[in-house]
């Protein structure tokens, strides 16, 4: 019921939500019985496209399944959030793009000694991030934290309810609330590697965008192959070859929709054009 209260906010006028709410208690008890008896089975998805601004494939689950996503998220998010590093900013309470950019500015000031030294930034992006999340790897990572097999089987049911075209056991739907948590759990593996193995003091990640800041350009160049190897071997992910670069702060670094300099930031040109069009 608590999950329903959260789920229906801003959705009360939608047809599928209204239909579910007509027999709300019957639907709630039916869902509860399926979960309690371990007979719950996730349904299919309605697919549609959006431009955000680039084309994205969204997959929408039924109200019944989305209610399960909310119920799970309410319990698992507070638990897993404690395991994430502070420099992970995507889909977390009191985080977000603005705070990530502010942290970028703070780190840039530290590395550049208030713009008295050159600050180098390694900027990386993962190719088709959501589409390439490996189900088996994700489930194994979650199982490291949750020993209860019933919970693992429920999460496995949700994770395996979707796969990308031509690739089974791979991919998460952009429309699921649980997907936001799952990708952070997945990438937390890399976050921990960056902080504890690479010993990166100045590292920030937002979803599949991440940056390393350092005084030494050669150090960042040497890290690229190490990062690629870890992502490939441990997470079955690949960096986007056209979106990996090393630049100085002075030349401006495009990160999370802004071109960032030492003492100011500007909205990227593509975004300004889009605002004018809209």
């Amino acid at each position: 019921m608590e999950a329903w209260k959260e789920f229906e906010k801003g959705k009360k006028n939608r047809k599928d939500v209204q239909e579910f709410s007509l027999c709300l208690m019957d639907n709630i008890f039916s869902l509860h019985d399926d979960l309690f008896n371990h007979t719950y089975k996730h349904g299919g998805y309605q697919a549609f496209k959006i431009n955000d601004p680039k084309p994205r494939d969204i997959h929408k689950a039924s109200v019944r399944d989305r209610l399960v996503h909310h119920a799970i998220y309410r319990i698992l998010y507070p638990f897993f959030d404690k395991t994430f590093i502070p420099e992970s900013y995507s889909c977390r309470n009191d985080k977000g793009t603005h705070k990530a950019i502010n942290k970028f500015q703070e780190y840039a000031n530290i590395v550049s000694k208030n713009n008295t030294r050159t600050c180098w930034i390694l900027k990386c992006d993962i190719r088709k991030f959501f589409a390439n999340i490996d189900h088996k790897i994700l489930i194994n990572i979650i199982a490291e934290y949750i020993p209860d097999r019933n919970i693992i089987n429920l999460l496995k049911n949700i994770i395996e309810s979707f796969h990308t075209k031509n690739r089974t056991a791979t991919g998460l739907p952009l429309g699921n609330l649980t997907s936001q948590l799952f990708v952070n759990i997945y990438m937390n593996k890399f976050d921990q590697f960056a902080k504890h193995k690479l010993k990166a003091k100045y590292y920030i990640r937002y979803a599949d965008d991440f940056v390393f800041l350092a005084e030494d350009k050669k150090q960042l160049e040497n890290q690229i192959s190490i990062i690629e190897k870890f992502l490939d071997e441990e997470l079955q992910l690949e960096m986007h070859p056209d979106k990996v670069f090393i630049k100085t702060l002075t030349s401006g670094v495009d990160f999370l929709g802004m071109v960032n300099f030492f003492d100011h930031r500007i909205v990227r040109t593509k975004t300004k054009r889009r605002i004018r069009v809209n």
Side-chain angles (χ1 to χ4, degrees), residues 134-143 152 156 159-160:
D134 185 279
H135 292 176
K136 185 177 179 182
I137 293 173
L138 174 59
I139 293 163
N140 287 341
I141 293 172
I142 294 172
I152 295 298
K156 187 176 179 182
I159 292 166
E160 294 182 347

Side-chain angles (χ1 to χ4, degrees), residues 172-278:
L172 293 176
L174 283 169
N176 283 8
L177 177 63
T178 46
S179 295
Q180 299 177 8
L181 177 60
F182 289 153
V183 295
N184 269 339
I185 293 170
Y186 202 79
M187 285 301 290
N188 186 48
K189 240 349 186 197
F190 177 72
D191 294 340
Q192 301 297 334
F193 171 77
K195 297 297 289 184
H196 301 297
K197 297 297 184 182
L198 293 179
K199 306 292 184 185
K201 290 179 68 176
Y202 307 110
Y203 161 80
I204 301 167
R205 182 181 64 81
Y206 187 96
D208 59 334
D209 285 335
F210 53 92
V211 291
F212 294 82
L213 295 86
E215 288 183 48
D216 187 350
K217 182 183 180 183
K218 193 69 178 174
Q219 174 193 337
L220 296 178
E221 288 174 340
N222 292 338
Q223 285 180 345
I224 293 175
S225 60
I226 300 171
I227 291 167
E228 287 176 332
K229 186 172 186 286
F230 180 89
L231 288 172
D232 176 46
E233 294 182 355
E234 299 294 328
L235 299 176
Q236 294 292 293
L237 295 174
E238 178 188 358
M239 289 203 293
H240 198 301
D242 300 328
K243 296 182 180 179
V244 176
F245 57 77
I246 298 177
K247 294 184 71 174
T248 63
L249 185 62
T250 307
S251 64
V253 176
D254 190 332
F255 182 50
L256 302 182
M258 307 289 286
V259 182
N260 299 269
F261 297 89
F262 166 70
D263 56 357
H264 69 286
R265 65 188 72 138
I266 58 175
V267 178
R268 66 162 70 122
T269 304
K270 284 193 296 185
T271 305
K272 285 190 279 190
R273 288 201 195 104
R274 200 163 72 246
I275 291 170
R276 283 198 290 268
V277 169
N278 294 335

Side-chain angles (χ1 to χ4, degrees), residues 90-109:
S90 174
C91 301
R92 297 179 65 191
N93 296 341
D94 300 319
K95 297 286 185 179
T97 53
H98 292 291
K99 290 193 176 181
I101 291 171
N102 289 339
K103 178 58 72 172
F104 178 92
Q105 201 78 51
E106 178 188 325
Y107 280 171
N109 290 342

